[in-house]
């Protein structure tokens, strides 16, 4: 990915959301050529020269000190997630090891763990949101129209970002689709900054930019948020509406793998819906062996 270009775009979007009066500067009226703060105004707030800040925003200064980055983050009023993203973009060489080219796999222990989760939908994802594994209830919740065994074949693995923006079945699953889309892009932006040398991640982003105008519009706004917990609304084709809490557990390494789990509030209609879905899953025939023909929509690469 073009990290210097991404850095400039990120800084410009954050300048654009601040007005001089928001940060204690005097605005003398008149029409401003750019929305939000000018470069000189941001440089003044951060205590750096306007020329230096301009070079940084243009990607011509790759050795910004921690002191300078701290000052810019404060001036732009960045959140913790945005602050981390700023550093990843400003120092792409420190973003992490170059990821291996071989297909990733979920750890055997992780597979065993999600398989033992009784009544809890669970999905193991890599940093690109490729599904590495899921338990039957996790599959039935988010992608029951796809082959249950698809994650076992790297070339056919579903990708949750691709499904969200390009698959009509998945769009119908989320009644608050716009909210889900913004959350997805916010997380993907953060990951893209951290793993700027991940070729397959860049290819996924490029594909979505070309095929989805909605993704492209959200991506251009440069939202940043590490969405590790919260609630999601579903309108499941088999059991109807549900409001489920989600939690994300990250692996204790630099792989970017994580396990996404869902639960319903005890005694709620959503818990009833989740129990019904579990009953339906348990009553269906066993999954076909890997490689068996399927009519499911292909959502992998």
């Amino acid at each position: 990915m073009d990290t210097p270009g991404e850095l400039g775009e990120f800084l410009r979007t954050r300048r654009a959301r601040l007005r001089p009066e928001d940060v204690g500067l005097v605005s003398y009226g008149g029409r401003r050529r750019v929305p939000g703060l000018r470069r000189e105004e941001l440089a003044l707030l951060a205590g750096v020269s306007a020329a230096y800040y301009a070079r940084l925003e243009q990607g011509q200064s790759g050795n910004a000190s921690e002191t300078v980055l701290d000052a810019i983050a404060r001036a732009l009023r960045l959140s913790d997630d945005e602050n981390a993203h700023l550093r990843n973009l400003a120092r792409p060489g420190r973003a992490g090891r170059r990821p291996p080219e071989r297909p990733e796999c979920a750890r055997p222990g992780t597979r065993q763990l999600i398989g033992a989760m009784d009544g809890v939908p669970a999905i193991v994802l890599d940093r690109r949101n490729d599904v590495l594994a899921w338990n039957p209830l996790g599959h039935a919740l988010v992608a029951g129209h796809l082959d249950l065994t698809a994650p076992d074949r790297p070339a056919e693995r579903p990708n949750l970002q691709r499904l969200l923006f390009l698959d009509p079945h998945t769009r119908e699953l989320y009644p608050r689709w716009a909210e889900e889309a913004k959350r997805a892009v916010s997380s993907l932006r953060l990951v893209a900054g951290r793993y700027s040398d991940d070729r397959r991640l860049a290819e996924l982003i490029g594909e979505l930019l070309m095929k989805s105008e909605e993704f492209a519009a959200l991506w251009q706004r440069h939202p940043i948020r590490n969405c590790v917990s919260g609630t999601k609304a579903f309108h499941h084709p088999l059991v109807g509406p549900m409001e489920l809490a989600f939690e994300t557990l990250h692996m204790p390494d630099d792989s970017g793998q994580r396990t996404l789990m869902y639960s319903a509030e005890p005694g709620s209609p959503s818990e009833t819906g989740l129990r019904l879905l579990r009953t339906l899953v348990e009553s269906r025939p066993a999954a076909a062996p890997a490689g068996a023909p399927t009519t499911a929509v292909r959502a992998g690469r």
Side-chain angles (χ1 to χ4, degrees):
M1 298 181 66
D2 178 14
T3 304
E6 291 289 317
L7 174 60
E9 180 183 341
F10 174 64
L11 290 172
R12 285 190 290 273
T13 62
R14 275 19 187 201
R15 279 198 294 114
R17 70 184 184 183
L18 294 175
R19 299 173 300 173
E21 53 268 33
D22 294 333
V23 293
L25 296 178
V26 177
S27 178
Y28 294 99
R31 185 172 181 177
R32 298 171 70 89
R33 291 183 299 173
V34 295
L37 294 179
R38 298 187 177 100
R39 284 179 179 170
E40 318 85 74
E41 292 169 333
L42 193 282
L44 176 65
L45 289 171
V48 299
S49 72
Y52 177 83
Y53 177 78
R55 290 196 302 272
L56 181 65
E57 194 170 285
Q58 293 166 359
Q60 299 174 2
S61 178
N63 60 347
S65 68
E66 287 294 325
T67 301
V68 167
L69 294 178
D70 284 341
I72 291 174
R74 286 195 300 271
L76 289 173
R77 300 184 176 182
L78 300 185
S79 68
D80 290 343
D81 290 338
E82 291 171 329
N83 199 342
H85 187 62
L86 170 64
R87 281 157 171 74
N88 288 334
L89 295 180
R91 295 183 177 151
R94 304 183 187 185
R97 303 188 309 270
R98 184 173 182 79
E101 291 298 322
R102 64 181 183 276
E104 293 187 49
C105 296
R107 296 176 177 179
T110 304
R111 287 177 172 272
Q112 179 175 308
L113 179 63
I114 66 171
M117 290 180 177
D118 189 21
V120 177
I123 307 166
V124 182
L125 303 167
D126 68 6
R127 69 174 72 97
R128 309 170 194 93
N129 282 286
D130 284 349
V131 177
L132 304 181
W134 47 23
N135 62 14
L137 193 53
H139 163 255
L141 176 65
V142 302
H145 62 296
L146 301 183
D147 182 4
L148 174 64
T149 64
D152 298 331
R153 300 183 293 278
E156 299 178 33
R157 281 176 176 163
N159 178 280
L160 295 192
Q161 294 274 3
R162 188 181 285 110
L163 287 171
L164 183 63
F165 286 95
L166 303 181
D167 180 63
H169 296 282
T170 303
R171 181 180 287 262
E172 293 175 358
L173 183 64
Y174 297 102
R176 299 199 294 263
W177 184 89
E179 174 185 310
E180 187 66 18
K182 182 179 179 180
R183 175 159 43 200
V185 174
S186 298
S187 295
L188 189 61
R189 268 289 188 186
L190 198 59
V191 172
R194 182 179 180 190
Y195 299 100
S196 59
D197 58 353
D198 188 324
R199 177 181 56 81
R200 287 170 50 207
L201 179 60
E203 289 173 352
L204 170 66
I205 294 168
E207 176 189 355
L208 293 174
L209 286 170
M210 289 188 295
K211 293 182 179 180
S212 171
E213 293 182 359
E214 291 158 314
F215 178 88
L218 283 169
W219 190 258
Q220 186 176 17
R221 284 154 53 185
H222 220 120
I224 301 293
R225 186 184 173 196
N226 190 18
C227 304
V228 297
S229 64
T231 59
K232 295 187 182 185
F234 293 87
H235 192 279
H236 198 275
L238 298 180
V239 300
M242 291 187 291
E243 189 89 11
L244 300 180
F246 70 91
E247 292 288 339
T248 308
L249 298 181
H250 287 260
M251 297 297 106
D253 55 28
D254 194 45
S255 67
Q257 289 188 17
R258 63 200 189 279
T259 301
L260 177 61
M261 297 164 292
Y262 293 92
S263 64
E265 183 179 352
S268 67
S270 296
E271 183 185 41
T272 302
L274 200 55
R275 286 179 177 174
L276 176 58
L277 183 61
R278 176 189 173 191
T279 300
L280 295 173
V281 167
E282 292 175 345
S283 65
R284 70 187 179 188
T294 176
T295 57
V297 176
R298 181 175 176 173
R301 286 173 296 280

